[in-house]
Coordinates of all heavy atoms in Angstrom, one line a residue:
M13 N -6.0 -49.6 -85.9 CA -4.8 -49.9 -85.1 C -3.6 -49.0 -85.5 O -2.9 -48.6 -84.6 CB -4.4 -51.4 -85.3 CG -3.3 -51.8 -84.5 SD -3.8 -52.0 -82.8 CE -2.4 -52.7 -82.1
A14 N -3.5 -48.6 -86.8 CA -2.4 -47.8 -87.2 C -2.5 -46.4 -86.7 O -1.5 -45.8 -86.3 CB -2.3 -47.8 -88.7
S15 N -3.7 -45.9 -86.6 CA -3.9 -44.5 -86.1 C -3.6 -44.4 -84.6 O -3.2 -43.5 -84.1 CB -5.4 -44.0 -86.4 OG -6.3 -44.9 -85.7
W16 N -4.0 -45.6 -83.8 CA -3.7 -45.6 -82.4 C -2.2 -45.6 -82.2 O -1.7 -44.9 -81.4 CB -4.2 -46.9 -81.8 CG -3.9 -47.0 -80.4 CD1 -4.6 -46.4 -79.4 CD2 -2.9 -47.8 -79.8 NE1 -4.0 -46.8 -78.2 CE2 -3.0 -47.7 -78.4 CE3 -1.9 -48.6 -80.3 CZ2 -2.1 -48.3 -77.6 CZ3 -1.0 -49.2 -79.4 CH2 -1.1 -49.0 -78.1
K17 N -1.4 -46.3 -83.0 CA 0.1 -46.4 -82.9 C 0.6 -45.0 -83.3 O 1.5 -44.5 -82.6 CB 0.6 -47.4 -83.8 CG 2.1 -47.5 -83.7 CD 2.6 -48.6 -84.7 CE 4.2 -48.6 -84.7 NZ 4.7 -49.5 -85.7
R18 N 0.1 -44.4 -84.3 CA 0.6 -43.1 -84.7 C 0.4 -42.0 -83.6 O 1.2 -41.2 -83.4 CB -0.1 -42.7 -86.0 CG 0.4 -41.5 -86.7 CD 1.8 -41.7 -87.3 NE 2.7 -40.8 -86.8 CZ 4.0 -40.9 -86.8 NH1 4.6 -41.9 -87.3 NH2 4.8 -39.9 -86.4
S19 N -0.8 -42.1 -83.0 CA -1.1 -41.0 -82.0 C -0.2 -41.3 -80.8 O 0.2 -40.3 -80.1 CB -2.6 -41.1 -81.6 OG -2.9 -42.4 -81.0
F20 N 0.1 -42.5 -80.5 CA 1.0 -42.8 -79.4 C 2.4 -42.3 -79.7 O 3.1 -41.7 -78.8 CB 1.1 -44.4 -79.1 CG 2.1 -44.7 -78.0 CD1 1.8 -44.5 -76.7 CD2 3.3 -45.3 -78.4 CE1 2.7 -44.8 -75.7 CE2 4.2 -45.6 -77.4 CZ 3.9 -45.4 -76.0
V21 N 2.9 -42.5 -80.9 CA 4.2 -42.0 -81.3 C 4.3 -40.5 -81.3 O 5.2 -39.8 -80.8 CB 4.6 -42.6 -82.7 CG1 5.8 -41.8 -83.2 CG2 4.8 -44.0 -82.6
D22 N 3.2 -39.8 -81.8 CA 3.1 -38.4 -81.8 C 3.1 -37.8 -80.4 O 3.8 -36.8 -80.0 CB 1.9 -37.9 -82.5 CG 2.0 -38.1 -84.0 OD1 3.2 -38.3 -84.5 OD2 1.0 -38.1 -84.7
A23 N 2.4 -38.5 -79.5 CA 2.3 -38.1 -78.1 C 3.7 -38.2 -77.4 O 4.1 -37.4 -76.6 CB 1.3 -38.9 -77.3
F24 N 4.4 -39.3 -77.8 CA 5.8 -39.5 -77.2 C 6.7 -38.4 -77.6 O 7.4 -37.8 -76.9 CB 6.3 -40.8 -77.6 CG 7.8 -41.0 -77.2 CD1 8.1 -41.2 -75.9 CD2 8.8 -40.8 -78.1 CE1 9.4 -41.4 -75.5 CE2 10.1 -41.0 -77.8 CZ 10.5 -41.2 -76.4
W25 N 6.7 -38.0 -79.0 CA 7.6 -37.0 -79.4 C 7.2 -35.6 -78.9 O 8.1 -34.8 -78.7 CB 7.7 -37.0 -80.9 CG 8.5 -38.2 -81.4 CD1 7.9 -39.2 -82.3 CD2 9.8 -38.6 -81.1 NE1 8.9 -40.1 -82.5 CE2 10.1 -39.8 -81.8 CE3 10.8 -38.1 -80.3 CZ2 11.3 -40.4 -81.7 CZ3 12.0 -38.7 -80.2 CH2 12.2 -39.9 -80.9
T26 N 6.0 -35.4 -78.7 CA 5.5 -34.1 -78.1 C 6.1 -34.0 -76.6 O 6.6 -33.0 -76.2 CB 4.0 -34.0 -78.1 OG1 3.6 -34.1 -79.4 CG2 3.5 -32.7 -77.5
W27 N 5.9 -35.1 -75.9 CA 6.4 -35.2 -74.5 C 8.0 -35.0 -74.5 O 8.5 -34.3 -73.7 CB 6.0 -36.5 -73.9 CG 6.5 -36.7 -72.5 CD1 6.2 -36.0 -71.4 CD2 7.4 -37.7 -72.1 NE1 6.8 -36.5 -70.3 CE2 7.5 -37.6 -70.7 CE3 8.0 -38.8 -72.7 CZ2 8.3 -38.5 -69.9 CZ3 8.8 -39.7 -71.9 CH2 8.9 -39.5 -70.5
D28 N 8.7 -35.7 -75.5 CA 10.1 -35.5 -75.6 C 10.5 -34.1 -75.9 O 11.5 -33.6 -75.3 CB 10.6 -36.4 -76.7 CG 12.1 -36.4 -76.8 OD1 12.8 -36.7 -75.8 OD2 12.6 -36.0 -77.9
Q29 N 9.8 -33.4 -76.7 CA 10.1 -32.0 -77.1 C 9.9 -31.1 -75.9 O 10.6 -30.2 -75.6 CB 9.3 -31.6 -78.3 CG 9.6 -30.2 -78.7 CD 8.8 -29.8 -80.0 OE1 7.9 -30.5 -80.3 NE2 9.0 -28.7 -80.5
A30 N 8.8 -31.4 -75.1 CA 8.6 -30.6 -73.9 C 9.7 -30.8 -72.8 O 9.9 -29.8 -72.1 CB 7.2 -31.0 -73.3
L31 N 10.3 -31.9 -72.8 CA 11.4 -32.1 -71.9 C 12.8 -31.7 -72.4 O 13.8 -31.9 -71.7 CB 11.4 -33.6 -71.5 CG 10.2 -34.1 -70.7 CD1 10.3 -35.6 -70.4 CD2 10.2 -33.4 -69.3
G32 N 12.8 -31.2 -73.6 CA 14.1 -30.7 -74.1 C 14.8 -31.7 -75.1 O 16.0 -31.6 -75.3
G33 N 14.0 -32.5 -75.7 CA 14.6 -33.6 -76.5 C 15.0 -33.1 -77.9 O 15.7 -33.8 -78.6
Q34 N 14.7 -31.8 -78.2 CA 15.2 -31.3 -79.5 C 16.5 -30.5 -79.4 O 16.9 -29.9 -80.4 CB 14.0 -30.4 -80.0 CG 12.7 -31.1 -80.3 CD 12.4 -31.3 -81.7 OE1 12.9 -30.5 -82.5 NE2 11.6 -32.2 -82.0
R35 N 17.1 -30.5 -78.2 CA 18.4 -29.8 -78.2 C 19.5 -30.7 -78.7 O 19.4 -31.9 -78.8 CB 18.7 -29.6 -76.7 CG 17.9 -28.4 -76.1 CD 18.3 -28.2 -74.7 NE 17.6 -29.2 -73.9 CZ 17.7 -29.3 -72.6 NH1 18.5 -28.5 -71.9 NH2 17.0 -30.2 -71.9
R36 N 20.6 -30.0 -79.2 CA 21.7 -30.7 -79.7 C 22.3 -31.6 -78.7 O 22.4 -31.2 -77.5 CB 22.7 -29.7 -80.3 CG 22.2 -28.9 -81.5 CD 23.1 -27.8 -81.8 NE 24.3 -28.3 -82.3 CZ 24.7 -28.5 -83.6 NH1 23.8 -28.2 -84.5 NH2 25.9 -28.9 -83.9
P37 N 22.8 -32.8 -79.1 CA 23.4 -33.7 -78.1 C 24.7 -33.2 -77.6 O 25.5 -32.6 -78.4 CB 23.5 -35.0 -78.8 CG 23.5 -34.7 -80.3 CD 22.7 -33.4 -80.4
T38 N 25.0 -33.5 -76.3 CA 26.3 -33.1 -75.8 C 27.4 -34.2 -76.2 O 27.0 -35.1 -76.8 CB 26.2 -33.1 -74.2 OG1 25.9 -34.4 -73.8 CG2 25.2 -32.1 -73.8
R39 N 28.6 -33.9 -75.8 CA 29.7 -34.8 -76.2 C 29.5 -36.2 -75.5 O 29.7 -37.2 -76.2 CB 31.0 -34.2 -75.8 CG 32.2 -34.8 -76.4 CD 33.4 -34.0 -76.1 NE 33.7 -34.3 -74.7 CZ 34.8 -33.8 -74.1 NH1 35.6 -33.1 -74.7 NH2 35.0 -34.1 -72.8
I40 N 29.0 -36.2 -74.3 CA 28.8 -37.5 -73.7 C 27.7 -38.2 -74.3 O 27.7 -39.5 -74.4 CB 28.6 -37.2 -72.1 CG1 29.9 -36.7 -71.5 CG2 28.1 -38.5 -71.5 CD1 29.7 -36.3 -70.1
Q41 N 26.6 -37.6 -74.7 CA 25.5 -38.2 -75.3 C 25.9 -38.8 -76.6 O 25.4 -39.9 -77.0 CB 24.3 -37.2 -75.5 CG 23.6 -36.8 -74.2 CD 22.6 -35.8 -74.4 OE1 22.8 -34.9 -75.2 NE2 21.5 -35.8 -73.6
K42 N 26.8 -38.1 -77.4 CA 27.2 -38.7 -78.6 C 28.0 -39.9 -78.4 O 27.9 -40.9 -79.1 CB 28.1 -37.6 -79.4 CG 27.3 -36.5 -79.9 CD 28.2 -35.5 -80.6 CE 27.5 -34.2 -81.0 NZ 28.4 -33.3 -81.6
W43 N 28.9 -39.9 -77.3 CA 29.7 -41.1 -77.0 C 28.8 -42.3 -76.7 O 29.0 -43.4 -77.1 CB 30.7 -40.8 -75.9 CG 31.6 -41.9 -75.6 CD1 32.8 -42.1 -76.2 CD2 31.4 -43.0 -74.7 NE1 33.4 -43.3 -75.7 CE2 32.5 -43.8 -74.8 CE3 30.4 -43.3 -73.8 CZ2 32.7 -45.0 -74.0 CZ3 30.5 -44.5 -73.1 CH2 31.6 -45.3 -73.1
V44 N 27.9 -42.0 -75.8 CA 26.9 -43.1 -75.4 C 26.2 -43.7 -76.6 O 26.0 -44.9 -76.7 CB 26.1 -42.6 -74.3 CG1 24.9 -43.5 -74.0 CG2 26.8 -42.3 -73.0
A45 N 25.7 -42.8 -77.4 CA 24.9 -43.3 -78.6 C 25.7 -44.1 -79.5 O 25.3 -45.0 -80.1 CB 24.3 -42.1 -79.3
R46 N 27.0 -43.8 -79.6 CA 27.8 -44.6 -80.6 C 28.2 -45.9 -79.9 O 28.6 -46.9 -80.6 CB 29.1 -43.8 -80.8 CG 28.9 -42.6 -81.7 CD 30.3 -42.0 -82.1 NE 30.0 -40.7 -82.7 CZ 30.7 -39.6 -82.4 NH1 31.6 -39.6 -81.5 NH2 30.4 -38.5 -83.0
R47 N 28.2 -46.0 -78.6 CA 28.7 -47.2 -77.9 C 27.8 -47.7 -76.9 O 28.1 -47.6 -75.6 CB 30.1 -46.9 -77.3 CG 31.2 -46.5 -78.3 CD 32.4 -45.8 -77.6 NE 33.3 -45.4 -78.5 CZ 33.2 -44.1 -79.1 NH1 32.3 -43.3 -78.7 NH2 34.2 -43.8 -79.9
P48 N 26.6 -48.2 -77.2 CA 25.6 -48.6 -76.2 C 26.1 -49.7 -75.3 O 25.7 -49.8 -74.1 CB 24.4 -48.9 -77.0 CG 24.8 -49.1 -78.3 CD 26.1 -48.3 -78.5
V49 N 26.8 -50.7 -75.9 CA 27.3 -51.9 -75.1 C 28.3 -51.4 -74.1 O 28.3 -51.9 -72.9 CB 27.9 -52.9 -76.0 CG1 28.5 -54.1 -75.3 CG2 26.8 -53.4 -77.0
R50 N 29.2 -50.5 -74.5 CA 30.2 -50.0 -73.5 C 29.5 -49.2 -72.4 O 30.0 -49.3 -71.2 CB 31.2 -49.1 -74.2 CG 32.2 -49.9 -75.0 CD 33.3 -49.0 -75.5 NE 34.1 -49.7 -76.5 CZ 35.1 -49.1 -77.2 NH1 35.3 -47.8 -77.1 NH2 35.8 -49.8 -78.1
A51 N 28.5 -48.5 -72.8 CA 27.8 -47.7 -71.8 C 27.1 -48.7 -70.8 O 27.1 -48.4 -69.5 CB 26.7 -46.8 -72.4
G52 N 26.6 -49.7 -71.3 CA 26.0 -50.7 -70.4 C 27.0 -51.4 -69.4 O 26.8 -51.6 -68.3
L53 N 28.2 -51.7 -70.0 CA 29.3 -52.2 -69.2 C 29.8 -51.3 -68.1 O 30.2 -51.7 -67.1 CB 30.4 -52.7 -70.1 CG 30.2 -54.0 -70.8 CD1 31.3 -54.3 -71.8 CD2 30.0 -55.2 -69.9
C54 N 29.9 -50.0 -68.5 CA 30.3 -49.0 -67.6 C 29.4 -48.8 -66.4 O 29.8 -48.4 -65.3 CB 30.4 -47.6 -68.3 SG 31.9 -47.5 -69.3
A55 N 28.1 -49.2 -66.6 CA 27.2 -49.2 -65.4 C 27.1 -50.6 -64.7 O 27.0 -50.6 -63.5 CB 25.8 -48.9 -66.0
A56 N 27.3 -51.7 -65.5 CA 27.1 -53.0 -64.9 C 28.3 -53.4 -64.0 O 28.1 -54.0 -63.0 CB 27.0 -54.0 -66.0
V57 N 29.5 -53.1 -64.4 CA 30.7 -53.6 -63.7 C 30.8 -52.9 -62.3 O 31.0 -53.6 -61.3 CB 32.0 -53.3 -64.5 CG1 33.2 -53.5 -63.7 CG2 32.0 -54.2 -65.8
P58 N 30.6 -51.6 -62.1 CA 30.7 -51.1 -60.8 C 29.6 -51.5 -59.9 O 29.8 -51.8 -58.7 CB 30.5 -49.5 -61.0 CG 31.0 -49.3 -62.4 CD 30.6 -50.5 -63.2
V59 N 28.3 -51.7 -60.4 CA 27.2 -52.2 -59.6 C 27.5 -53.7 -59.1 O 27.3 -54.0 -58.0 CB 25.9 -52.1 -60.4 CG1 24.8 -52.9 -59.7 CG2 25.5 -50.7 -60.6
T60 N 28.0 -54.5 -60.0 CA 28.4 -55.9 -59.7 C 29.5 -55.9 -58.7 O 29.4 -56.7 -57.6 CB 28.8 -56.6 -60.9 OG1 27.8 -56.6 -61.9 CG2 29.1 -58.1 -60.6
L61 N 30.5 -55.1 -58.8 CA 31.6 -55.1 -57.9 C 31.1 -54.5 -56.5 O 31.6 -55.1 -55.5 CB 32.8 -54.2 -58.4 CG 33.5 -54.8 -59.6 CD1 34.5 -53.9 -60.1 CD2 34.1 -56.2 -59.3
L62 N 30.3 -53.6 -56.6 CA 29.7 -53.0 -55.2 C 28.9 -54.1 -54.5 O 29.1 -54.3 -53.3 CB 28.9 -51.8 -55.5 CG 28.2 -51.2 -54.3 CD1 29.2 -50.6 -53.3 CD2 27.1 -50.2 -54.6
C63 N 28.1 -54.8 -55.3 CA 27.3 -55.9 -54.6 C 28.1 -57.0 -54.1 O 27.9 -57.6 -53.1 CB 26.2 -56.4 -55.6 SG 24.9 -55.2 -56.0
L64 N 29.2 -57.3 -54.9 CA 30.1 -58.4 -54.4 C 30.8 -57.9 -53.2 O 31.1 -58.8 -52.3 CB 31.1 -58.7 -55.5 CG 30.5 -59.6 -56.6 CD1 31.6 -59.8 -57.7 CD2 30.1 -60.9 -56.1
T65 N 31.2 -56.7 -53.1 CA 31.9 -56.2 -51.9 C 31.0 -56.2 -50.7 O 31.5 -56.5 -49.6 CB 32.4 -54.7 -52.2 OG1 33.2 -54.7 -53.4 CG2 33.2 -54.2 -51.1
L66 N 29.8 -55.9 -50.9 CA 28.9 -55.9 -49.7 C 28.3 -57.3 -49.4 O 27.6 -57.4 -48.4 CB 27.7 -55.0 -50.0 CG 28.1 -53.5 -50.2 CD1 26.9 -52.7 -50.6 CD2 28.8 -53.0 -49.0
S67 N 28.6 -58.3 -50.2 CA 28.0 -59.6 -49.9 C 28.8 -60.3 -48.8 O 29.9 -60.1 -48.5 CB 28.1 -60.5 -51.2 OG 29.4 -60.8 -51.5
R68 N 28.1 -61.3 -48.2 CA 28.7 -62.1 -47.2 C 29.4 -63.3 -47.9 O 29.0 -63.7 -49.0 CB 27.6 -62.7 -46.3 CG 26.8 -61.6 -45.5 CD 25.6 -62.2 -44.9 NE 24.7 -62.7 -45.8 CZ 23.4 -62.3 -46.0 NH1 23.0 -61.5 -45.1 NH2 22.7 -62.9 -46.9
E69 N 30.5 -63.8 -47.3 CA 31.3 -64.7 -48.0 C 30.7 -66.1 -48.1 O 30.9 -66.8 -49.1 CB 32.6 -64.9 -47.2 CG 33.5 -63.7 -47.2 CD 34.8 -63.9 -46.4 OE1 35.1 -65.1 -46.1 OE2 35.4 -62.9 -46.1
K70 N 29.9 -66.5 -47.2 CA 29.4 -67.9 -47.3 C 28.0 -68.0 -47.8 O 27.4 -69.1 -47.8 CB 29.4 -68.5 -45.8 CG 30.8 -68.6 -45.3 CD 30.8 -69.4 -44.0 CE 32.3 -69.3 -43.6 NZ 32.7 -70.5 -42.8
E71 N 27.4 -67.0 -48.4 CA 26.1 -67.0 -49.0 C 26.2 -67.1 -50.5 O 26.6 -66.1 -51.2 CB 25.3 -65.8 -48.6 CG 24.9 -65.7 -47.1 CD 24.0 -66.8 -46.8 OE1 23.1 -67.1 -47.6 OE2 24.0 -67.3 -45.6
P72 N 25.9 -68.2 -51.1 CA 26.0 -68.3 -52.6 C 24.9 -67.5 -53.3 O 25.1 -67.1 -54.5 CB 25.8 -69.8 -52.9 CG 25.1 -70.3 -51.7 CD 25.5 -69.5 -50.5
D73 N 23.9 -67.2 -52.6 CA 22.8 -66.3 -53.3 C 23.2 -64.9 -53.4 O 22.7 -64.2 -54.3 CB 21.5 -66.3 -52.4 CG 20.9 -67.7 -52.4 OD1 21.1 -68.5 -53.3 OD2 20.1 -68.0 -51.4
D74 N 24.2 -64.4 -52.6 CA 24.7 -63.1 -52.8 C 25.4 -62.9 -54.1 O 25.3 -61.9 -54.7 CB 25.6 -62.7 -51.6 CG 24.8 -62.5 -50.3 OD1 23.6 -62.4 -50.4 OD2 25.4 -62.4 -49.3
L75 N 26.1 -63.9 -54.5 CA 26.8 -63.9 -55.9 C 25.8 -63.8 -57.0 O 26.0 -63.0 -57.9 CB 27.7 -65.1 -56.0 CG 28.4 -65.3 -57.3 CD1 29.4 -64.1 -57.5 CD2 29.1 -66.6 -57.5
L76 N 24.8 -64.6 -56.9 CA 23.7 -64.6 -57.9 C 23.0 -63.2 -57.9 O 22.7 -62.7 -59.0 CB 22.7 -65.7 -57.6 CG 21.5 -65.8 -58.6 CD1 22.1 -66.2 -60.0 CD2 20.5 -66.8 -58.1
F77 N 22.8 -62.6 -56.8 CA 22.2 -61.3 -56.7 C 23.1 -60.3 -57.3 O 22.6 -59.4 -58.0 CB 21.8 -60.9 -55.2 CG 21.4 -59.5 -55.1 CD1 20.1 -59.2 -55.4 CD2 22.3 -58.5 -54.6 CE1 19.7 -57.9 -55.3 CE2 21.8 -57.2 -54.5 CZ 20.5 -56.9 -54.8
A78 N 24.4 -60.3 -57.0 CA 25.3 -59.4 -57.5 C 25.4 -59.4 -59.0 O 25.3 -58.3 -59.7 CB 26.7 -59.6 -56.9
V79 N 25.4 -60.6 -59.6 CA 25.5 -60.7 -61.0 C 24.2 -60.2 -61.7 O 24.2 -59.6 -62.7 CB 25.8 -62.2 -61.4 CG1 25.7 -62.4 -63.0 CG2 27.2 -62.5 -61.0
S80 N 23.1 -60.6 -61.1 CA 21.8 -60.2 -61.7 C 21.5 -58.7 -61.6 O 21.0 -58.1 -62.5 CB 20.6 -61.0 -61.0 OG 20.5 -60.7 -59.7
A81 N 22.0 -58.1 -60.5 CA 21.8 -56.7 -60.3 C 22.7 -55.9 -61.3 O 22.3 -55.0 -62.0 CB 22.2 -56.2 -58.9
G82 N 23.9 -56.4 -61.5 CA 24.8 -55.8 -62.5 C 24.3 -56.0 -63.9 O 24.3 -55.0 -64.7
L83 N 23.8 -57.2 -64.2 CA 23.2 -57.4 -65.5 C 22.0 -56.6 -65.8 O 21.9 -56.0 -66.9 CB 22.9 -58.9 -65.7 CG 22.4 -59.4 -67.1 CD1 23.4 -59.2 -68.1 CD2 21.9 -60.9 -66.9
S84 N 21.1 -56.5 -64.9 CA 19.9 -55.7 -65.1 C 20.3 -54.2 -65.2 O 19.7 -53.5 -66.1 CB 18.9 -55.8 -63.9 OG 19.5 -55.5 -62.7
M85 N 21.3 -53.7 -64.5 CA 21.7 -52.3 -64.6 C 22.3 -52.1 -66.0 O 22.1 -51.1 -66.6 CB 22.6 -51.9 -63.5 CG 22.9 -50.5 -63.4 SD 21.5 -49.5 -63.1 CE 21.2 -49.8 -61.4
G86 N 23.1 -53.0 -66.5 CA 23.8 -52.9 -67.7 C 22.7 -52.9 -68.8 O 22.9 -52.2 -69.9
V87 N 21.7 -53.8 -68.8 CA 20.6 -53.8 -69.8 C 19.9 -52.5 -69.8 O 19.6 -51.9 -70.9 CB 19.7 -55.0 -69.6 CG1 18.4 -54.9 -70.4 CG2 20.4 -56.3 -69.8
I88 N 19.6 -52.0 -68.6 CA 18.9 -50.7 -68.6 C 19.6 -49.5 -69.2 O 19.1 -48.8 -70.0 CB 18.5 -50.3 -67.1 CG1 17.4 -51.3 -66.6 CG2 18.0 -48.9 -67.0 CD1 17.1 -51.2 -65.1
F89 N 20.9 -49.5 -68.9 CA 21.8 -48.4 -69.4 C 22.0 -48.6 -70.9 O 22.1 -47.7 -71.7 CB 23.1 -48.3 -68.7 CG 23.0 -47.4 -67.5 CD1 22.3 -47.8 -66.4 CD2 23.7 -46.2 -67.5 CE1 22.3 -46.9 -65.3 CE2 23.7 -45.4 -66.4 CZ 23.0 -45.7 -65.3
G90 N 22.1 -49.9 -71.3 CA 22.3 -50.1 -72.8 C 21.1 -49.8 -73.6 O 21.2 -49.2 -74.7
L91 N 19.9 -50.1 -73.1 CA 18.7 -49.7 -73.8 C 18.5 -48.2 -73.8 O 18.0 -47.6 -74.8 CB 17.5 -50.4 -73.1 CG 17.4 -51.9 -73.4 CD1 16.2 -52.5 -72.6 CD2 17.2 -52.2 -74.8
T92 N 18.9 -47.6 -72.7 CA 18.8 -46.1 -72.7 C 19.7 -45.5 -73.7 O 19.4 -44.5 -74.4 CB 19.1 -45.5 -71.3 OG1 18.2 -46.1 -70.4 CG2 19.0 -44.0 -71.2
A93 N 20.9 -46.1 -73.9 CA 21.9 -45.6 -74.8 C 21.4 -45.8 -76.3 O 21.5 -45.0 -77.2 CB 23.2 -46.3 -74.7
F94 N 20.7 -46.9 -76.5 CA 20.1 -47.2 -77.8 C 19.0 -46.2 -78.1 O 18.9 -45.8 -79.2 CB 19.6 -48.6 -77.9 CG 19.1 -49.0 -79.2 CD1 20.0 -49.2 -80.3 CD2 17.7 -49.2 -79.4 CE1 19.5 -49.5 -81.5 CE2 17.2 -49.5 -80.7 CZ 18.1 -49.7 -81.7
A95 N 18.2 -45.8 -77.1 CA 17.1 -44.8 -77.3 C 17.8 -43.5 -77.6 O 17.2 -42.7 -78.4 CB 16.3 -44.8 -76.0
E96 N 18.9 -43.2 -77.0 CA 19.6 -42.0 -77.3 C 20.1 -42.0 -78.8 O 20.1 -41.0 -79.5 CB 20.8 -41.7 -76.4 CG 21.6 -40.5 -76.7 CD 20.8 -39.2 -76.6 OE1 19.8 -39.1 -75.8 OE2 21.3 -38.2 -77.2
R97 N 20.5 -43.1 -79.2 CA 21.0 -43.2 -80.6 C 19.8 -42.9 -81.6 O 19.9 -42.2 -82.6 CB 21.5 -44.6 -80.9 CG 21.8 -44.9 -82.4 CD 22.3 -46.3 -82.6 NE 23.7 -46.5 -82.1 CZ 24.3 -47.6 -82.4 NH1 23.8 -48.6 -83.0 NH2 25.6 -47.7 -81.9
L98 N 18.6 -43.5 -81.3 CA 17.4 -43.3 -82.1 C 17.0 -41.8 -82.0 O 16.6 -41.2 -83.1 CB 16.2 -44.1 -81.6 CG 16.4 -45.6 -81.8 CD1 15.2 -46.4 -81.2 CD2 16.6 -46.0 -83.2
R99 N 17.2 -41.1 -80.9 CA 16.8 -39.7 -80.8 C 17.8 -38.9 -81.7 O 17.3 -38.0 -82.3 CB 17.0 -39.2 -79.3 CG 16.6 -37.8 -79.1 CD 16.8 -37.3 -77.7 NE 18.2 -37.0 -77.5 CZ 18.7 -35.8 -77.7 NH1 18.0 -34.8 -78.1 NH2 20.0 -35.6 -77.4
Q100 N 19.0 -39.2 -81.7 CA 20.0 -38.5 -82.5 C 19.8 -38.7 -83.9 O 20.0 -37.8 -84.7 CB 21.4 -38.9 -82.1 CG 21.8 -38.3 -80.7 CD 23.2 -38.6 -80.3 OE1 24.1 -38.9 -81.1 NE2 23.5 -38.6 -79.0
R101 N 19.4 -39.9 -84.3 CA 19.0 -40.1 -85.8 C 17.8 -39.3 -86.1 O 17.8 -38.7 -87.2 CB 18.6 -41.6 -85.9 CG 19.7 -42.5 -86.3 CD 19.2 -43.8 -86.7 NE 20.3 -44.8 -86.5 CZ 20.1 -46.1 -86.4 NH1 18.8 -46.6 -86.5 NH2 21.0 -46.9 -86.1
R102 N 16.9 -39.1 -85.2 CA 15.7 -38.3 -85.5 C 16.1 -36.8 -85.7 O 15.6 -36.1 -86.5 CB 14.6 -38.5 -84.4 CG 13.4 -37.7 -84.7 CD 12.3 -38.0 -83.7 NE 11.1 -37.3 -84.0 CZ 10.8 -36.1 -83.5 NH1 11.7 -35.4 -82.7 NH2 9.7 -35.5 -83.8
L103 N 17.0 -36.4 -84.8 CA 17.4 -35.0 -84.9 C 18.1 -34.7 -86.2 O 18.0 -33.7 -86.8 CB 18.3 -34.7 -83.7 CG 17.7 -34.6 -82.3 CD1 18.7 -34.3 -81.2 CD2 16.5 -33.5 -82.3
K104 N 18.9 -35.7 -86.6 CA 19.7 -35.6 -87.9 C 18.7 -35.5 -89.1 O 18.8 -34.7 -89.9 CB 20.6 -36.7 -88.1 CG 21.5 -36.6 -89.3 CD 22.4 -37.8 -89.4 CE 23.2 -37.7 -90.7 NZ 24.1 -38.9 -90.8
R105 N 17.6 -36.4 -89.0 CA 16.6 -36.4 -90.0 C 15.8 -35.1 -90.1 O 15.5 -34.6 -91.1 CB 15.7 -37.5 -89.8 CG 14.8 -37.9 -90.9 CD 14.0 -39.2 -90.7 NE 13.2 -39.2 -89.5 CZ 13.4 -40.0 -88.5 NH1 14.3 -40.9 -88.5 NH2 12.6 -40.0 -87.4
L106 N 15.6 -34.4 -88.9 CA 14.9 -33.2 -88.8 C 15.8 -32.0 -89.2 O 15.3 -30.9 -89.3 CB 14.3 -33.0 -87.4 CG 13.2 -33.9 -87.0 CD1 12.8 -33.7 -85.6 CD2 12.0 -33.7 -88.0
G107 N 17.1 -32.2 -89.2 CA 18.0 -31.1 -89.5 C 18.5 -30.4 -88.3 O 19.1 -29.3 -88.4
I108 N 18.2 -30.9 -87.2 CA 18.6 -30.2 -85.9 C 20.0 -30.5 -85.5 O 20.8 -29.8 -85.1 CB 17.5 -30.4 -84.8 CG1 16.2 -29.8 -85.2 CG2 18.0 -29.8 -83.5 CD1 15.1 -30.2 -84.3
G109 N 20.2 -31.9 -85.5 CA 21.5 -32.4 -85.0 C 22.6 -32.2 -86.1 O 22.3 -32.1 -87.3
D110 N 23.8 -32.4 -85.7 CA 24.9 -32.3 -86.6 C 25.3 -33.6 -87.3 O 26.0 -33.6 -88.2 CB 26.1 -31.7 -85.9 CG 26.6 -32.4 -84.8 OD1 26.0 -33.4 -84.5 OD2 27.6 -32.0 -84.2
G111 N 24.7 -34.7 -86.8 CA 24.9 -36.0 -87.4 C 26.3 -36.6 -87.1 O 26.7 -37.6 -87.7
S112 N 27.0 -36.1 -86.2 CA 28.3 -36.7 -85.8 C 28.2 -37.7 -84.7 O 27.2 -37.8 -84.0 CB 29.3 -35.6 -85.5 OG 28.9 -34.9 -84.3

């Protein structure tokens, strides 16, 4: 089981390197990695407001849809920001990143 997990991790990092994952992080990537909750909120609030703006007034399900769409977008962006934090930690460990 451990060798299967290790081969999956190695395949992931090989794929990441092929897509340019070993480059130094930009200023925005550093900000997002430091603040994953804020990054999630920066995505969730506009999506929620957009869905509320487009909703009909007398439909209570539209409010539920707007909140769930905003929440799901916030979670997706937050998890992506957390993955960026892990990538930057790995770059620092490899000596590629500056660690800031």
Side-chain angles (χ1 to χ4, degrees):
M13 184 71 174
S15 64
W16 179 80
K17 181 181 175 187
R18 187 74 234 159
S19 63
F20 177 74
V21 171
D22 289 342
F24 172 77
W25 288 122
T26 303
W27 179 61
D28 181 61
Q29 184 177 6
L31 293 176
Q34 298 250 338
R35 286 183 278 177
R36 295 172 63 98
T38 63
R39 197 173 70 174
I40 292 173
Q41 287 173 327
K42 289 179 187 178
W43 184 89
V44 166
R46 288 183 192 136
R47 300 165 185 88
V49 174
R50 286 187 190 174
L53 284 174
C54 286
V57 171
V59 169
T60 304
L61 292 176
L62 177 70
C63 289
L64 284 174
T65 303
L66 297 175
S67 69
R68 298 171 297 237
E69 291 180 16
K70 298 192 182 206
E71 292 292 325
D73 292 338
D74 288 347
L75 176 65
L76 181 63
F77 173 75
V79 171
S80 63
L83 182 64
S84 61
M85 191 61 76
V87 167
I88 289 170
F89 271 70
L91 290 174
T92 303
F94 184 71
E96 177 62 26
R97 176 185 282 188
L98 294 177
R99 183 185 80 88
Q100 289 181 21
R101 269 191 206 157
R102 181 173 183 272
L103 290 178
K104 183 179 178 184
R105 193 173 54 244
L106 292 174
I108 298 170
D110 57 0
S112 60

